[in-house]
Amino acid sequence: MKKELSFALNYALNKGFQIHPDAFKILENVDVKKLEKIIKEIVREKTKQKLFQINQDDLETYLGIKEDLTLQNEVKVISEPTNKITSGEGVKGYNALFSSRFNKLKRIISDRPESRMLKSAASVKTTKTDDDIYVCGLVSVRNTERNITKLVLEDPSGSFEGIVFDNELQKTAGTLLIDQFVMARVGLANNSGYIIKDLILPDIPEQAKNKSETEAYAVFLSDLHIGSKYFMEEEFAEFVSWISSPDPTARKIRFVLIGGDVVDGVGIYPNQNKELVCLTIQEQLKKVEDLIDKIPKNVKIIIMPGNHDPGRRALPQPAIPKKYNSGLWDRENVIMVGNPAVVSLNGVRVMMFHGQSIDDIVKTTPGLSYDKPTNVMKHLLRARHLSPIYGSQTPIAPEMEDLLVIEDIPDIFHVGHVHRAELDMYKGILLINSGSWQKQTPFQASVGMTPNPGIAIMVNLKTFQVFHENYSSNLDNILQS
């Protein structure tokens, strides 16, 4: 017992007071510098009332942590793909997907003044002018040789080829992903070719944050991998228990967001069964249900799928199908959404994305790594697309509408997948990669991947102040300047 707590208790006992066990639990979480003052003031007031027991209600009233019934917990699902999925087939589906992507991103970039001078790829070749012109499209080729970068952009009218000579602009060109949308400012070269003088991404504009009217807190979790023998079950159960505790922060939690890989799945990788303690999807999801059932019912829980969860693996993913566990769907405080999703928490917009495309982007983009997932998240925001590369490691369904374009600008961008908890800011948007609750697996160790699991990230939705509870011996600092 802390000596400050021991002193405070002895003071009350010497004054003839009893201390209820529930009150003792609250005192254990109080700032030690304030303990003596708190006990003395409560003793003074209760002595006047001739009441000689200090109970939970006394401390909650004094500390202002009595459950605030005015704290909002309003959830609105702004967008999610479950009921929008209409996959095309073959070339028709492929063409529809990229036509939708181009049109959506062209509308976004049309807010920029330069867009008034846009020409189609086909018309650039017949435009006779000495002035610079603008063209936009999806990147189909990016080659660098002898300090010169060639880019080919495609739009519905055809393709445009230009050369980047400028050294600084080549750095930007080097980060462009195949199938990413970009607008280029171009001029005519001496050999009748075209020089690219500037590259303009759709990007996110600066804007004011939406904030909750009350100090409700949201918890951001991901990659629990329940069913794996590496799932940190004891630590997660301890965290869930903490949510129900008298801790002042815990009592303000009104939302828990789980960003995919809720379970470890079955048959996801070779010999996975050797690493499972729950051998079926139903058994894994029943364990999920049992664990989250201990979270107070005034807390709304939002669950989205990842690449380990049952259902479609290709993006966009519908919500975890009800047939695997109807109990999750039937709970009043649980909201099942697809991947990606945008939800409003007391008016604060949160974009949730499991993050499968991070694999492709890290492999193809210089300077990006799994250790700094928020840098990849910034890349996605600048591209205004959650998975630009088609046909790589991340499976993307040939939808008739591209549901991975970032149309709604979030206040918080929540991603998981890489098991590295990290925070950052980008143009006023709070970036959260919520890490995992799975210890390092043999596969991760074999490729040198070091997770920092067991960290629960919490945000005060009124002030955007961030807190975290660490349930791991790994004390990596997740707060970025």
Side-chain angles (χ1 to χ4, degrees), residues 88-142:
E89 293 184 7
V91 175
K92 179 183 177 184
Y94 179 87
N95 287 341
L97 176 73
F98 280 94
S99 177
S100 172
R101 178 182 299 190
F102 176 83
N103 290 330
K104 283 187 175 187
L105 289 165
K106 186 179 179 183
R107 279 198 300 272
I108 288 171
I109 214 161
S110 292
D111 290 337
R112 300 183 66 106
E114 302 97 323
S115 66
R116 295 194 300 270
M117 296 175 276
L118 270 174
K119 301 284 185 182
S120 68
S123 68
V124 168
K125 298 166 187 174
T126 59
T127 301
K128 305 295 183 184
T129 178
D130 293 329
D131 297 329
D132 292 343
I133 55 177
Y134 290 80
V135 61
C136 66
L138 304 179
V139 177
S140 61
V141 175
R142 186 197 75 193

Short mmCIF file of all heavy atoms in Angstrom, two decimals, residues 88-142:
data_model
loop_
_atom_site.label_atom_id
_atom_site.label_comp_id
_atom_site.label_asym_id
_atom_site.label_seq_id
_atom_site.Cartn_x
_atom_site.Cartn_y
_atom_site.Cartn_z
N GLY A 88 -19.12 -6.52 -59.80
CA GLY A 88 -19.24 -6.81 -61.22
C GLY A 88 -18.45 -8.06 -61.56
O GLY A 88 -17.83 -8.69 -60.70
N GLU A 89 -18.41 -8.40 -62.81
CA GLU A 89 -17.67 -9.58 -63.25
C GLU A 89 -16.73 -9.20 -64.37
O GLU A 89 -17.06 -8.40 -65.24
CB GLU A 89 -18.63 -10.68 -63.72
CG GLU A 89 -19.49 -11.26 -62.60
CD GLU A 89 -20.35 -12.40 -63.10
OE1 GLU A 89 -20.17 -12.82 -64.26
OE2 GLU A 89 -21.21 -12.87 -62.32
N GLY A 90 -15.55 -9.79 -64.33
CA GLY A 90 -14.58 -9.65 -65.42
C GLY A 90 -14.26 -8.21 -65.76
O GLY A 90 -14.15 -7.35 -64.89
N VAL A 91 -14.13 -7.96 -67.05
CA VAL A 91 -13.74 -6.63 -67.53
C VAL A 91 -14.78 -5.59 -67.17
O VAL A 91 -14.45 -4.45 -66.83
CB VAL A 91 -13.54 -6.67 -69.06
CG1 VAL A 91 -13.26 -5.27 -69.61
CG2 VAL A 91 -12.38 -7.60 -69.41
N LYS A 92 -16.07 -5.97 -67.19
CA LYS A 92 -17.13 -5.02 -66.86
C LYS A 92 -16.97 -4.50 -65.43
O LYS A 92 -17.05 -3.29 -65.17
CB LYS A 92 -18.50 -5.68 -67.02
CG LYS A 92 -19.66 -4.76 -66.67
CD LYS A 92 -21.00 -5.49 -66.77
CE LYS A 92 -22.14 -4.56 -66.33
NZ LYS A 92 -23.44 -5.28 -66.33
N GLY A 93 -16.72 -5.41 -64.48
CA GLY A 93 -16.53 -5.00 -63.09
C GLY A 93 -15.29 -4.14 -62.91
O GLY A 93 -15.31 -3.13 -62.21
N TYR A 94 -14.22 -4.55 -63.57
CA TYR A 94 -12.95 -3.81 -63.49
C TYR A 94 -13.14 -2.39 -64.03
O TYR A 94 -12.73 -1.41 -63.40
CB TYR A 94 -11.90 -4.56 -64.29
CG TYR A 94 -10.53 -3.92 -64.33
CD1 TYR A 94 -9.59 -4.16 -63.35
CD2 TYR A 94 -10.18 -3.07 -65.38
CE1 TYR A 94 -8.33 -3.57 -63.39
CE2 TYR A 94 -8.93 -2.48 -65.44
CZ TYR A 94 -8.01 -2.74 -64.44
OH TYR A 94 -6.77 -2.14 -64.49
N ASN A 95 -13.77 -2.27 -65.19
CA ASN A 95 -13.98 -0.94 -65.78
C ASN A 95 -14.89 -0.07 -64.92
O ASN A 95 -14.66 1.14 -64.76
CB ASN A 95 -14.58 -1.08 -67.18
CG ASN A 95 -13.57 -1.57 -68.20
OD1 ASN A 95 -12.37 -1.49 -67.97
ND2 ASN A 95 -14.04 -2.11 -69.32
N ALA A 96 -15.94 -0.68 -64.35
CA ALA A 96 -16.86 0.08 -63.51
C ALA A 96 -16.16 0.60 -62.26
O ALA A 96 -16.36 1.75 -61.85
CB ALA A 96 -18.05 -0.80 -63.11
N LEU A 97 -15.32 -0.23 -61.65
CA LEU A 97 -14.59 0.17 -60.44
C LEU A 97 -13.70 1.38 -60.72
O LEU A 97 -13.73 2.37 -59.99
CB LEU A 97 -13.75 -1.00 -59.93
CG LEU A 97 -12.86 -0.68 -58.73
CD1 LEU A 97 -13.69 -0.54 -57.46
CD2 LEU A 97 -11.79 -1.76 -58.53
N PHE A 98 -12.91 1.30 -61.80
CA PHE A 98 -11.97 2.39 -62.07
C PHE A 98 -12.65 3.63 -62.62
O PHE A 98 -12.19 4.75 -62.39
CB PHE A 98 -10.85 1.90 -63.00
CG PHE A 98 -9.81 1.12 -62.25
CD1 PHE A 98 -9.89 -0.26 -62.18
CD2 PHE A 98 -8.79 1.75 -61.58
CE1 PHE A 98 -8.96 -0.98 -61.45
CE2 PHE A 98 -7.85 1.05 -60.86
CZ PHE A 98 -7.93 -0.33 -60.79
N SER A 99 -13.76 3.45 -63.30
CA SER A 99 -14.54 4.61 -63.74
C SER A 99 -15.10 5.35 -62.53
O SER A 99 -15.05 6.59 -62.45
CB SER A 99 -15.67 4.16 -64.67
OG SER A 99 -16.47 5.26 -65.05
N SER A 100 -15.62 4.58 -61.57
CA SER A 100 -16.15 5.18 -60.34
C SER A 100 -15.03 5.89 -59.57
O SER A 100 -15.20 7.01 -59.09
CB SER A 100 -16.78 4.09 -59.46
OG SER A 100 -17.13 4.60 -58.20
N ARG A 101 -13.88 5.24 -59.46
CA ARG A 101 -12.74 5.86 -58.75
C ARG A 101 -12.35 7.17 -59.40
O ARG A 101 -12.19 8.19 -58.71
CB ARG A 101 -11.55 4.90 -58.75
CG ARG A 101 -10.31 5.50 -58.07
CD ARG A 101 -9.10 4.57 -58.10
NE ARG A 101 -9.38 3.32 -57.41
CZ ARG A 101 -8.43 2.41 -57.13
NH1 ARG A 101 -7.17 2.63 -57.50
NH2 ARG A 101 -8.74 1.31 -56.51
N PHE A 102 -12.19 7.16 -60.72
CA PHE A 102 -11.78 8.37 -61.43
C PHE A 102 -12.79 9.50 -61.23
O PHE A 102 -12.43 10.64 -60.91
CB PHE A 102 -11.60 8.08 -62.92
CG PHE A 102 -11.26 9.30 -63.73
CD1 PHE A 102 -9.97 9.77 -63.81
CD2 PHE A 102 -12.27 10.02 -64.39
CE1 PHE A 102 -9.67 10.92 -64.53
CE2 PHE A 102 -11.98 11.16 -65.11
CZ PHE A 102 -10.67 11.61 -65.18
N ASN A 103 -14.07 9.20 -61.41
CA ASN A 103 -15.11 10.24 -61.33
C ASN A 103 -15.22 10.82 -59.92
O ASN A 103 -15.37 12.03 -59.74
CB ASN A 103 -16.46 9.67 -61.78
CG ASN A 103 -16.49 9.40 -63.28
OD1 ASN A 103 -15.82 10.09 -64.06
ND2 ASN A 103 -17.25 8.40 -63.69
N LYS A 104 -15.13 9.96 -58.91
CA LYS A 104 -15.21 10.45 -57.53
C LYS A 104 -14.03 11.36 -57.20
O LYS A 104 -14.19 12.43 -56.61
CB LYS A 104 -15.25 9.28 -56.55
CG LYS A 104 -16.59 8.56 -56.44
CD LYS A 104 -16.54 7.52 -55.32
CE LYS A 104 -17.90 6.88 -55.11
NZ LYS A 104 -17.91 5.99 -53.92
N LEU A 105 -12.84 10.94 -57.59
CA LEU A 105 -11.65 11.73 -57.24
C LEU A 105 -11.55 12.99 -58.09
O LEU A 105 -11.05 14.02 -57.63
CB LEU A 105 -10.40 10.86 -57.39
CG LEU A 105 -10.29 9.78 -56.30
CD1 LEU A 105 -9.27 8.71 -56.67
CD2 LEU A 105 -9.94 10.40 -54.96
N LYS A 106 -12.05 12.93 -59.31
CA LYS A 106 -12.07 14.15 -60.13
C LYS A 106 -13.01 15.17 -59.51
O LYS A 106 -12.72 16.38 -59.50
CB LYS A 106 -12.50 13.83 -61.56
CG LYS A 106 -12.39 15.05 -62.49
CD LYS A 106 -12.80 14.73 -63.92
CE LYS A 106 -12.69 15.98 -64.78
NZ LYS A 106 -13.17 15.71 -66.17
N ARG A 107 -14.15 14.71 -58.97
CA ARG A 107 -15.07 15.64 -58.29
C ARG A 107 -14.39 16.27 -57.08
O ARG A 107 -14.55 17.46 -56.81
CB ARG A 107 -16.34 14.90 -57.84
CG ARG A 107 -17.38 14.72 -58.92
CD ARG A 107 -18.75 14.39 -58.35
NE ARG A 107 -18.75 13.16 -57.58
CZ ARG A 107 -18.94 11.95 -58.10
NH1 ARG A 107 -19.11 11.82 -59.42
NH2 ARG A 107 -18.96 10.89 -57.33
N ILE A 108 -13.62 15.48 -56.36
CA ILE A 108 -12.93 16.00 -55.17
C ILE A 108 -11.91 17.07 -55.56
O ILE A 108 -11.84 18.13 -54.97
CB ILE A 108 -12.25 14.84 -54.40
CG1 ILE A 108 -13.31 13.99 -53.69
CG2 ILE A 108 -11.24 15.37 -53.39
CD1 ILE A 108 -12.78 12.70 -53.09
N ILE A 109 -11.12 16.78 -56.60
CA ILE A 109 -10.07 17.71 -56.99
C ILE A 109 -10.64 18.93 -57.73
O ILE A 109 -9.96 19.95 -57.89
CB ILE A 109 -8.98 17.00 -57.82
CG1 ILE A 109 -7.61 17.62 -57.52
CG2 ILE A 109 -9.30 17.03 -59.32
CD1 ILE A 109 -6.43 16.76 -57.90
N SER A 110 -11.90 18.84 -58.15
CA SER A 110 -12.54 19.98 -58.84
C SER A 110 -12.73 21.17 -57.92
O SER A 110 -13.03 22.28 -58.39
CB SER A 110 -13.90 19.54 -59.41
OG SER A 110 -13.71 18.63 -60.47
N ASP A 111 -12.57 20.99 -56.62
CA ASP A 111 -12.63 22.12 -55.68
C ASP A 111 -11.41 23.02 -55.81
O ASP A 111 -11.42 24.15 -55.34
CB ASP A 111 -12.75 21.62 -54.23
CG ASP A 111 -14.10 20.98 -53.95
OD1 ASP A 111 -15.06 21.31 -54.67
OD2 ASP A 111 -14.19 20.16 -53.01
N ARG A 112 -10.36 22.52 -56.43
CA ARG A 112 -9.14 23.33 -56.58
C ARG A 112 -9.28 24.24 -57.80
O ARG A 112 -9.83 23.85 -58.84
CB ARG A 112 -7.92 22.42 -56.74
CG ARG A 112 -7.70 21.49 -55.55
CD ARG A 112 -6.44 20.67 -55.75
NE ARG A 112 -5.26 21.52 -55.74
CZ ARG A 112 -4.40 21.58 -54.73
NH1 ARG A 112 -4.60 20.88 -53.64
NH2 ARG A 112 -3.34 22.37 -54.79
N PRO A 113 -8.77 25.48 -57.71
CA PRO A 113 -8.94 26.43 -58.81
C PRO A 113 -8.31 25.95 -60.13
O PRO A 113 -8.80 26.25 -61.22
CB PRO A 113 -8.26 27.71 -58.30
CG PRO A 113 -7.42 27.29 -57.13
CD PRO A 113 -8.08 26.09 -56.56
N GLU A 114 -7.21 25.16 -60.02
CA GLU A 114 -6.52 24.70 -61.24
C GLU A 114 -7.41 23.78 -62.08
O GLU A 114 -7.19 23.62 -63.29
CB GLU A 114 -5.24 23.93 -60.88
CG GLU A 114 -4.24 24.73 -60.06
CD GLU A 114 -4.39 24.43 -58.56
OE1 GLU A 114 -5.54 24.23 -58.12
OE2 GLU A 114 -3.37 24.40 -57.86
N SER A 115 -8.40 23.18 -61.44
CA SER A 115 -9.22 22.20 -62.15
C SER A 115 -10.01 22.82 -63.30
O SER A 115 -10.45 22.11 -64.21
CB SER A 115 -10.18 21.51 -61.18
OG SER A 115 -11.13 22.43 -60.68
N ARG A 116 -10.17 24.16 -63.27
CA ARG A 116 -10.89 24.82 -64.38
C ARG A 116 -10.14 24.68 -65.70
O ARG A 116 -10.72 24.84 -66.77
CB ARG A 116 -11.11 26.31 -64.06
CG ARG A 116 -12.02 26.56 -62.88
CD ARG A 116 -12.46 28.02 -62.83
NE ARG A 116 -11.33 28.92 -62.70
CZ ARG A 116 -10.81 29.33 -61.54
NH1 ARG A 116 -11.34 28.89 -60.41
NH2 ARG A 116 -9.79 30.15 -61.51
N MET A 117 -8.83 24.40 -65.63
CA MET A 117 -8.01 24.29 -66.83
C MET A 117 -7.74 22.84 -67.22
O MET A 117 -6.87 22.55 -68.04
CB MET A 117 -6.69 25.03 -66.61
CG MET A 117 -6.87 26.54 -66.42
SD MET A 117 -5.32 27.38 -66.03
CE MET A 117 -5.21 27.12 -64.26
N LEU A 118 -8.49 21.89 -66.62
CA LEU A 118 -8.27 20.48 -66.91
C LEU A 118 -8.63 20.13 -68.36
O LEU A 118 -9.64 20.58 -68.89
CB LEU A 118 -9.11 19.62 -65.96
CG LEU A 118 -8.47 19.20 -64.64
CD1 LEU A 118 -9.49 18.49 -63.77
CD2 LEU A 118 -7.25 18.30 -64.88
N LYS A 119 -7.78 19.32 -68.95
CA LYS A 119 -8.03 18.76 -70.28
C LYS A 119 -8.07 17.24 -70.17
O LYS A 119 -7.42 16.65 -69.31
CB LYS A 119 -6.92 19.16 -71.26
CG LYS A 119 -6.73 20.66 -71.44
CD LYS A 119 -7.83 21.24 -72.31
CE LYS A 119 -7.57 22.72 -72.60
NZ LYS A 119 -8.66 23.31 -73.40
N SER A 120 -8.80 16.60 -71.04
CA SER A 120 -8.79 15.14 -71.05
C SER A 120 -7.46 14.66 -71.63
O SER A 120 -6.78 15.39 -72.36
CB SER A 120 -9.94 14.60 -71.89
OG SER A 120 -9.74 14.90 -73.25
N ALA A 121 -7.09 13.42 -71.31
CA ALA A 121 -5.82 12.87 -71.80
C ALA A 121 -5.77 12.87 -73.33
O ALA A 121 -4.73 13.19 -73.93
CB ALA A 121 -5.64 11.46 -71.27
N ALA A 122 -6.88 12.57 -73.96
CA ALA A 122 -6.91 12.52 -75.42
C ALA A 122 -6.77 13.90 -76.04
O ALA A 122 -6.10 14.07 -77.07
CB ALA A 122 -8.21 11.86 -75.90
N SER A 123 -7.38 14.92 -75.42
CA SER A 123 -7.36 16.27 -76.02
C SER A 123 -6.04 16.99 -75.82
O SER A 123 -5.75 17.95 -76.54
CB SER A 123 -8.50 17.11 -75.45
OG SER A 123 -8.28 17.40 -74.08
N VAL A 124 -5.21 16.54 -74.86
CA VAL A 124 -3.92 17.20 -74.63
C VAL A 124 -3.09 17.17 -75.91
O VAL A 124 -2.41 18.15 -76.26
CB VAL A 124 -3.16 16.50 -73.47
CG1 VAL A 124 -1.71 16.98 -73.42
CG2 VAL A 124 -3.84 16.76 -72.15
N LYS A 125 -3.13 16.07 -76.62
CA LYS A 125 -2.30 15.91 -77.82
C LYS A 125 -2.69 16.86 -78.95
O LYS A 125 -1.89 17.15 -79.84
CB LYS A 125 -2.39 14.46 -78.31
CG LYS A 125 -1.87 13.47 -77.27
CD LYS A 125 -2.28 12.05 -77.61
CE LYS A 125 -1.89 11.09 -76.47
NZ LYS A 125 -2.39 9.73 -76.69
N THR A 126 -3.92 17.36 -78.92
CA THR A 126 -4.36 18.25 -80.00
C THR A 126 -4.47 19.70 -79.54
O THR A 126 -4.86 20.57 -80.32
CB THR A 126 -5.73 17.79 -80.53
OG1 THR A 126 -6.68 17.78 -79.46
CG2 THR A 126 -5.63 16.38 -81.12
N THR A 127 -4.14 19.97 -78.29
CA THR A 127 -4.22 21.34 -77.75
C THR A 127 -3.00 22.14 -78.20
O THR A 127 -1.86 21.74 -77.96
CB THR A 127 -4.32 21.33 -76.22
OG1 THR A 127 -5.48 20.60 -75.83
CG2 THR A 127 -4.40 22.74 -75.67
N LYS A 128 -3.22 23.25 -78.86
CA LYS A 128 -2.13 24.10 -79.34
C LYS A 128 -2.04 25.34 -78.46
O LYS A 128 -2.83 26.27 -78.58
CB LYS A 128 -2.38 24.52 -80.80
CG LYS A 128 -2.61 23.37 -81.76
CD LYS A 128 -1.38 22.49 -81.91
CE LYS A 128 -1.61 21.37 -82.92
NZ LYS A 128 -0.46 20.44 -83.02
N THR A 129 -1.09 25.33 -77.54
CA THR A 129 -0.91 26.49 -76.67
C THR A 129 0.48 26.44 -76.06
O THR A 129 1.07 25.37 -75.89
CB THR A 129 -1.96 26.49 -75.53
OG1 THR A 129 -1.71 27.62 -74.67
CG2 THR A 129 -1.90 25.21 -74.70
N ASP A 130 1.02 27.65 -75.79
CA ASP A 130 2.32 27.72 -75.11
C ASP A 130 2.15 27.74 -73.60
O ASP A 130 3.12 27.67 -72.85
CB ASP A 130 3.07 28.99 -75.55
CG ASP A 130 3.47 28.91 -77.03
OD1 ASP A 130 3.72 27.78 -77.50
OD2 ASP A 130 3.53 29.96 -77.68
N ASP A 131 0.89 27.90 -73.13
CA ASP A 131 0.62 27.93 -71.69
C ASP A 131 0.60 26.52 -71.12
O ASP A 131 0.33 25.55 -71.83
CB ASP A 131 -0.72 28.61 -71.42
CG ASP A 131 -0.74 30.06 -71.86
OD1 ASP A 131 0.34 30.69 -71.80
OD2 ASP A 131 -1.81 30.55 -72.27
N ASP A 132 0.86 26.44 -69.83
CA ASP A 132 0.75 25.15 -69.16
C ASP A 132 -0.71 24.71 -69.12
O ASP A 132 -1.63 25.54 -69.06
CB ASP A 132 1.27 25.24 -67.71
CG ASP A 132 2.77 25.48 -67.66
OD1 ASP A 132 3.45 25.26 -68.68
OD2 ASP A 132 3.26 25.89 -66.59
N ILE A 133 -0.92 23.42 -69.20
CA ILE A 133 -2.27 22.87 -69.10
C ILE A 133 -2.28 21.80 -68.01
O ILE A 133 -1.24 21.38 -67.51
CB ILE A 133 -2.73 22.26 -70.44
CG1 ILE A 133 -1.72 21.23 -70.95
CG2 ILE A 133 -2.94 23.35 -71.47
CD1 ILE A 133 -2.14 20.55 -72.22
N TYR A 134 -3.48 21.39 -67.64
CA TYR A 134 -3.63 20.39 -66.56
C TYR A 134 -4.33 19.16 -67.09
O TYR A 134 -5.25 19.24 -67.91
CB TYR A 134 -4.43 20.99 -65.40
CG TYR A 134 -3.68 22.06 -64.64
CD1 TYR A 134 -3.59 23.37 -65.13
CD2 TYR A 134 -3.04 21.76 -63.44
CE1 TYR A 134 -2.89 24.34 -64.45
CE2 TYR A 134 -2.34 22.74 -62.74
CZ TYR A 134 -2.26 24.02 -63.24
OH TYR A 134 -1.56 24.98 -62.56
N VAL A 135 -3.89 18.01 -66.60
CA VAL A 135 -4.50 16.75 -66.96
C VAL A 135 -4.53 15.88 -65.71
O VAL A 135 -3.66 15.99 -64.84
CB VAL A 135 -3.70 16.04 -68.09
CG1 VAL A 135 -2.28 15.73 -67.66
CG2 VAL A 135 -4.40 14.78 -68.57
N CYS A 136 -5.56 15.06 -65.57
CA CYS A 136 -5.63 14.19 -64.40
C CYS A 136 -5.93 12.77 -64.83
O CYS A 136 -6.48 12.53 -65.92
CB CYS A 136 -6.67 14.68 -63.40
SG CYS A 136 -8.38 14.61 -63.98
N GLY A 137 -5.57 11.83 -63.99
CA GLY A 137 -5.84 10.43 -64.31
C GLY A 137 -5.29 9.51 -63.25
O GLY A 137 -4.74 9.95 -62.23
N LEU A 138 -5.45 8.22 -63.48
CA LEU A 138 -4.91 7.20 -62.59
C LEU A 138 -3.55 6.77 -63.12
O LEU A 138 -3.37 6.57 -64.33
CB LEU A 138 -5.86 5.99 -62.53
CG LEU A 138 -7.31 6.29 -62.13
CD1 LEU A 138 -8.13 5.01 -62.13
CD2 LEU A 138 -7.37 6.96 -60.76
N VAL A 139 -2.58 6.65 -62.24
CA VAL A 139 -1.22 6.30 -62.65
C VAL A 139 -1.19 4.85 -63.14
O VAL A 139 -1.52 3.92 -62.40
CB VAL A 139 -0.23 6.47 -61.47
CG1 VAL A 139 1.18 6.04 -61.89
CG2 VAL A 139 -0.24 7.91 -60.98
N SER A 140 -0.78 4.65 -64.39
CA SER A 140 -0.66 3.28 -64.92
C SER A 140 0.79 2.86 -65.09
O SER A 140 1.09 1.67 -65.10
CB SER A 140 -1.39 3.14 -66.25
OG SER A 140 -0.84 4.01 -67.23
N VAL A 141 1.68 3.84 -65.22
CA VAL A 141 3.13 3.55 -65.35
C VAL A 141 3.90 4.58 -64.56
O VAL A 141 3.59 5.78 -64.61
CB VAL A 141 3.59 3.59 -66.84
CG1 VAL A 141 5.11 3.40 -66.93
CG2 VAL A 141 2.88 2.53 -67.66
N ARG A 142 4.93 4.11 -63.83
CA ARG A 142 5.87 5.02 -63.14
C ARG A 142 7.25 4.39 -63.25
O ARG A 142 7.54 3.39 -62.61
CB ARG A 142 5.47 5.19 -61.68
CG ARG A 142 6.31 6.23 -60.94
CD ARG A 142 6.19 6.07 -59.43
NE ARG A 142 6.93 4.92 -58.96
CZ ARG A 142 6.81 4.38 -57.75
NH1 ARG A 142 5.94 4.86 -56.90
NH2 ARG A 142 7.53 3.33 -57.40
#
